[in-house]
């Protein structure tokens, strides 16, 4: 099956610093990747759609200057949380789309971010 | 706004009991429907999906789901659950045809199976 990895799996940082999270599709090329945020005991909320070679598309209410997304290659998308604050602490999950119409998403294991 | 609703927040069953988890969505156009499972400490895995054709879809691990268009529903079923089915289950909807592949997730249902 399709494999998607994320790095790091867990990160603790100080308030005001920036954190970069990587999402890689290991055995297929993904022109489209997605970034989600999951709060404890809640569902996944789509933050943005990452398109290889073009700007990301952000969902309403998500600050694009706060959550920088770069999709530099067909196997790598990065999410940078800039000037992180405690309220940014969450579980961030990426997915990579596969299929003729990009209709099936394969999810990474997630990154737990804790901002102190 | 488009939404996905899962009726049960937490379901507790004994092994061998039958399972049905409800999922309803609000979008009226063409949709693609998914069920994902998240085992404790693991990432989301695709259980099954419906795009078109036979509304009764069979997935992995003995799960199946039925798409009932008139009821905007896509309920997940399994005739006999096992302890290893303990997990969080998410229903998700993707609007069809050039909608960018966006998935809208339900709130999730936590399934606890007692041995």
């Amino acid at each position: 099956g399709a494999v998607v990895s994320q790095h790091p799996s867990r990160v603790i940082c100080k308030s005001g610093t920036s954190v970069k999270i990587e999402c890689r599709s290991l055995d297929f090329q993904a022109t489209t990747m997605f970034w989600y945020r999951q709060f404890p005991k809640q569902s996944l909320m789509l933050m943005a759609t990452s398109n290889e070679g073009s700007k990301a598309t952000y969902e309403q209410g998500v600050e694009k200057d706060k959550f920088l997304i770069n999709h530099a290659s067909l196997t790598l998308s990065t999410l940078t949380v800039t000037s992180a604050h405690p309220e940014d602490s969450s579980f961030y999950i990426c997915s990579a789309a596969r299929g003729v119409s990009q209709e099936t998403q394969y999810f990474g294991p997630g990154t737990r971010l804790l901002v102190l | 706004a488009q939404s996905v609703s899962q009726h049960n927040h937490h379901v507790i069953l004994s092994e061998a009991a039958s399972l049905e988890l409800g999922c309803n969505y609000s979008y009226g156009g063409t949709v693609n429907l998914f069920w994902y499972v998240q085992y404790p400490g693991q990432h989301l895995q695709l259980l099954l999906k419906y795009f078109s054709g036979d509304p009764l879809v069979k997935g992995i691990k003995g799960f199946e789901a039925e798409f009932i268009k008139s009821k905007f529903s896509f309920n997940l079923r399994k005739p006999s659950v096992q302890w290893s089915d303990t997990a969080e289950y998410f229903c998700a909807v993707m609007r069809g045809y050039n909608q960018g592949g966006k998935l809208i997730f339900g709130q999730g249902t936590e399934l606890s199976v007692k041995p």
Side-chain angles (χ1 to χ4, degrees):
Chain A
V3 179
V4 177
S5 70
Q6 279 184 245
H7 177 80
S9 59
R10 185 186 299 263
V11 58
I12 301 173
C13 69
K14 292 182 179 179
S15 185
T17 61
S18 294
V19 174
K20 180 185 284 189
I21 303 170
E22 293 185 348
C23 176
R24 294 181 185 272
S25 56
L26 299 184
D27 53 356
F28 67 100
Q29 294 183 328
T31 55
T32 305
M33 292 183 173
F34 300 88
W35 287 96
Y36 296 85
R37 187 170 175 176
Q38 186 179 28
F39 292 99
K41 300 293 185 181
Q42 294 188 33
S43 188
L44 283 76
M45 298 298 295
L46 179 65
M47 297 175 65
T49 303
S50 172
N51 300 295
E52 189 269 336
S54 64
K55 291 184 179 180
T57 304
Y58 290 82
E59 294 302 299
Q60 193 172 10
V62 177
E63 300 175 58
K64 58 182 68 176
D65 295 330
K66 173 80 170 169
F67 299 99
L68 299 179
I69 292 173
N70 183 270
H71 197 146
S73 75
L74 288 172
T75 58
L76 172 65
S77 175
T78 60
L79 169 69
T80 301
V81 183
T82 62
S83 187
H85 288 97
E87 57 265 31
D88 298 324
S89 298
S90 191
F91 196 53
Y92 293 89
I93 302 174
C94 75
S95 72
R98 191 178 193 184
V100 174
S101 304
Q102 308 282 287
E103 71 278 1
T104 302
Q105 293 182 30
Y106 295 88
F107 287 81
T111 296
R112 177 77 59 192
L113 170 63
L114 177 61
V115 185
L116 302 176
Chain B
Q2 183 182 0
S3 67
V4 180
S5 177
Q6 291 182 238
H7 314 303
N8 310 102
H9 182 65
H10 190 187
V11 173
I12 302 173
L13 295 173
S14 297
E15 274 194 316
S18 64
L19 169 72
E20 180 160 3
L21 301 181
C23 174
N24 286 88
Y25 61 94
S26 62
Y27 181 63
T30 302
V31 293
N32 298 324
L33 299 159
F34 304 81
W35 275 97
Y36 283 89
V37 61
Q38 188 173 30
Y39 297 103
Q42 296 188 29
H43 62 278
L44 269 80
Q45 299 174 40
L46 181 66
L47 267 182
L48 47 80
K49 58 187 178 184
Y50 171 81
F51 292 159
S52 63
D54 189 344
L56 185 60
V57 180
K58 294 193 183 299
I60 61 172
K61 305 186 180 186
F63 286 91
E64 64 178 31
E66 184 176 13
F67 171 50
I68 303 179
K69 189 174 182 179
S70 61
K71 294 185 178 180
F72 298 89
S73 70
F74 190 56
N75 292 354
L76 180 71
R77 299 195 292 250
K78 186 171 183 177
S80 176
V81 295
Q82 301 173 312
W83 176 78
S84 57
D85 293 324
T86 295
E88 187 93 19
Y89 292 81
F90 294 95
C91 178
V93 172
M94 180 189 297
R95 291 168 58 182
Y97 306 128
N98 300 320
Q99 296 298 324
K102 294 182 182 180
L103 279 175
I104 308 298
F105 281 87
Q107 308 93 314
T109 297
E110 182 180 352
L111 173 64
S112 299
V113 180
K114 298 184 292 184

